[in-house]
Amino acid sequence: MYNARSISKFSLKGKQMTDHATLVSQNKEYTFTSWTSQNAWNPISITHGEGVYFWDADGKRYLDWSSQLFNLNIGHGHPHVIRAIQEQAGKLQYAMPSLATEPRARLGQMLRDVTPAGLTKAFFTTGGADAIENAMKFARLSTGKQKILTRYRAYHGATFGAMTAGGDPRRLANEPGVPWIVRMPDPYSYRHPVYRGRTEAEGDQAIVDMMEEIIHFEGPNNIAALMLEGFSGTSGIMQGGETYWRGVEYLREKYGFLLIIDEVLSGFGRTGEWFGIDHYPWVKPDLMAMAKGLTSGYIPLGGVMMTEKVAHHFDDNVFYGGLTYSDHPIACAAGVANLEVYQNEKLIENSHELGKKLRAGLVDLAEKYEAIGEIRGAGLHYVIELVKNRDTREPLSPYNSAMTEPMKKLAANLREQGMSTFVKWNLVFCAPPLVATEAHIQDGLNILDRAIKDLG
Ligand SMILES: Cc1ncc(COP(=O)(O)O)c(C=O)c1O
């Protein structure tokens, strides 16, 4: 029987490390961390979790308000997935990708059933970024064209090509990156100048018109694909409305490029639908990248779903791609078990319903506090954008800079109150596991309420 507490202590070279301070100092001394300077790294420790909670090495409980990195959709410690991993590990631990295995076939079949109509074949990777690299490769090889259109305010991963594709500042470490990415303006009605004096729908249309103009400038015959997050994620959930997404489908049809939808973050119920793009049933993806919620992070796995048409190109052409750990049988078994959990426990429906409660609670907070400039999202996927002044919309902490006061104080307050979440610039993300209940959502809202109130 799985006992989360039994794994709460571990030894390194025989030395027990049980307290938080020791764990942090040894992690800092012996390991290198990502996306922050080493000196600024001040992590929460984590020893075990259960559902929407996890515990640090001193026994402090945290509400996991970001599902770790927007991936732990089924929550911590789910016995069904743990059992599936254990059973698969007992049977077949590894198979090179050129061999056929049962969990790989089963997961491919299940994904065909839950992804949008027309996506029929899965290519499995080891995570999100290599799903994106391969999706772009599929598009470029199958069309024989070079360019991929993406957005400025998007993130697609940290490998070389994926990092160029994501237009948000995380790409800047890697400039100029690959030469075949072209970035598009964003449907960010709260801040993009094109929305000034326009309704949201009019602004969305103006963005689509600008995209069309860029397509002309770049040469429609050179464009392999347009790549968009199915639902905008860590760049700040700037999603656009129906006009924008009708425009996307209009451009795809008119110019004949492929559409790559990145569901790495927004897939598997995060936004209250199976996939973010399911909010726009008229949009027809040719390729879909996924990871995160595919296994809820229990084992690394990503994938690319593709249409018959894309797959057909490779019937007689070699696809140059694949890694040693592609199609990993334990990861595929974890994926199968995850999909069973989504289905058996109706987690997509829960995200949809609970999302209404989350939205209502955030709207209440926005009515109470001037510091909330805007809330955006769907399902269990929201962001609060904080401002110094509602009229000027000056951000509470500047764009693309280390957090300044009072945003820093807010982040520290959330942590102090036992909430772990993703906070950057002037944004606080709200993305709890899909196994959350109304009581958990209310707990989270209460913590946010107190922290925003304390801003004074
Ligand atoms: C939308 C999106 N695409 C791709 C990725 C990259 O995934 P990974 O970190 O698994 O490589 C991320 C990661 O956050 C993401 O949010």
Side-chain angles (χ1 to χ4, degrees):
M1 164 88 185
Y2 171 71
N3 175 359
R5 288 219 168 257
S6 68
I7 56 165
S8 67
K9 296 181 179 180
F10 68 94
S11 69
L12 188 66
K13 291 190 179 160
K15 187 170 179 244
Q16 284 292 322
M17 298 197 308
T18 53
D19 68 284
H20 168 80
T22 309
L23 211 51
V24 169
S25 83
Q26 295 201 344
N27 272 257
K28 282 179 74 91
E29 186 174 349
Y30 301 131
T31 75
F32 198 97
T33 195
S34 49
W35 296 115
T36 178
S37 64
Q38 303 306 299
N39 282 340
W41 189 36
N42 176 25
I44 297 172
S45 59
I46 175 168
T47 58
H48 63 283
E50 203 177 308
V52 300
Y53 296 110
F54 69 87
W55 283 262
D56 79 4
D58 287 346
K60 176 171 174 176
R61 191 182 79 170
Y62 285 87
L63 177 63
D64 193 339
W65 197 244
S66 61
S67 306
Q68 296 297 300
L69 263 183
F70 305 86
N71 60 339
L72 203 87
N73 291 9
I74 61 165
H76 295 262
H78 200 294
H80 183 66
V81 177
I82 293 168
R83 207 162 31 243
I85 291 168
Q86 288 169 333
E87 281 172 11
Q88 185 58 45
K91 232 187 313 185
L92 173 73
Q93 306 72 44
Y94 173 73
M96 55 185 170
S98 54
L99 304 186
T101 72
E102 193 184 331
R104 168 178 171 173
R106 178 87 187 102
L107 184 56
Q109 186 185 25
M110 289 173 90
L111 286 171
R112 182 186 286 203
D113 290 342
V114 298
T115 51
L119 297 174
T120 55
K121 213 164 209 180
F123 176 85
F124 292 116
T125 67
T126 63
D130 63 326
I132 292 295
E133 299 287 356
N134 282 294
M136 295 194 292
K137 199 186 275 182
F138 277 119
R140 297 176 78 226
L141 288 177
S142 68
T143 60
K145 298 177 182 178
Q146 297 293 312
K147 293 183 184 177
I148 307 277
L149 310 177
T150 67
R151 278 179 47 174
Y152 272 101
R153 294 180 191 264
Y155 178 71
H156 295 293
T159 52
F160 200 77
M163 205 167 191
T164 310
D168 91 3
R170 283 170 278 188
R171 77 170 198 277
L172 296 173
N174 194 26
E175 295 280 73
V178 300
W180 35 264
I181 296 291
V182 175
R183 297 189 197 91
M184 296 281 178
D186 302 278
Y188 184 16
S189 58
Y190 190 62
R191 291 196 188 276
H192 196 292
V194 94
Y195 287 84
R196 281 183 210 142
R198 290 189 162 107
T199 65
E200 192 162 340
E202 288 166 353
D204 281 2
Q205 187 56 52
I207 294 287
V208 173
D209 294 344
M210 289 162 78
M211 290 167 73
E212 184 159 17
E213 187 181 40
I214 295 171
I215 289 166
H216 282 293
F217 289 153
E218 294 295 334
N221 290 335
N222 297 328
I223 298 169
L226 166 63
M227 180 160 75
L228 300 170
E229 287 170 88
F231 214 100
S232 164
T234 53
S235 300
I237 317 188
M238 299 89 173
Q239 178 64 2
E242 179 171 338
T243 305
Y244 175 79
W245 287 96
R246 289 213 178 268
V248 165
E249 184 59 19
Y250 157 81
L251 295 173
R252 185 191 73 84
E253 265 191 22
K254 182 166 176 186
Y255 296 102
F257 47 70
L258 302 183
L259 183 62
I260 304 172
I261 294 295
D262 178 351
E263 293 283 353
V264 169
L265 186 148
S266 54
F268 302 101
R270 176 53 52 205
T271 68
E273 299 284 347
W274 268 98
F275 296 94
I277 203 63
D278 292 340
H279 289 272
Y280 319 99
W282 57 86
V283 176
K284 307 250 177 321
D286 300 281
L287 289 148
M288 180 186 272
M290 56 183 64
K292 293 192 188 269
L294 177 56
T295 55
S296 292
Y298 282 41
I299 302 276
L301 182 68
V304 181
M305 288 297 291
M306 68 194 85
T307 58
E308 281 303 332
K309 192 170 166 210
V310 173
H312 181 61
H313 174 83
F314 299 96
D315 286 348
D316 296 310
N317 292 295
V318 174
F319 180 72
Y320 292 96
L323 301 170
T324 302
Y325 298 116
S326 304
D327 311 289
H328 199 288
I330 299 177
C332 287
V336 168
N338 250 266
L339 293 194
E340 286 167 351
V341 170
Y342 290 129
Q343 282 161 339
N344 296 343
E345 298 183 17
K346 299 199 178 337
L347 294 187
I348 314 302
E349 292 86 341
N350 194 47
S351 172
H352 183 87
E353 284 308 309
L354 217 49
K356 294 180 195 164
K357 160 110 186 142
L358 177 58
R359 171 182 278 277
L362 292 172
V363 167
D364 285 348
L365 290 182
E367 276 168 15
K368 221 162 139 185
Y369 299 114
E370 285 281 309
I372 297 182
E374 191 169 64
I375 58 158
R376 301 185 285 273
L380 293 178
H381 180 58
Y382 274 87
V383 70
I384 306 171
E385 175 153 359
L386 292 147
V387 290
K388 286 190 177 153
N389 178 314
R390 259 197 190 163
D391 296 328
T392 64
R393 301 187 177 181
E394 184 188 350
L396 197 61
S397 190
Y399 178 74
N400 192 27
S401 299
M403 239 186 278
T404 54
E405 298 294 355
M407 194 68 197
K408 246 167 130 172
K409 178 178 158 190
L410 179 98
N413 188 325
L414 295 176
R415 180 167 166 172
E416 177 61 32
Q417 289 190 66
M419 172 182 276
S420 162
T421 196
F422 191 70
V423 181
K424 70 169 190 179
W425 311 334
N426 64 331
L427 305 173
V428 178
F429 287 83
C430 306
L434 313 189
V435 291
T437 62
E438 279 205 21
H440 298 131
I441 298 298
Q442 194 54 56
D443 270 0
L445 290 166
N446 292 344
I447 292 173
L448 288 166
D449 192 339
R450 287 191 288 269
I452 300 170
K453 188 174 174 189
D454 283 354
L455 286 174

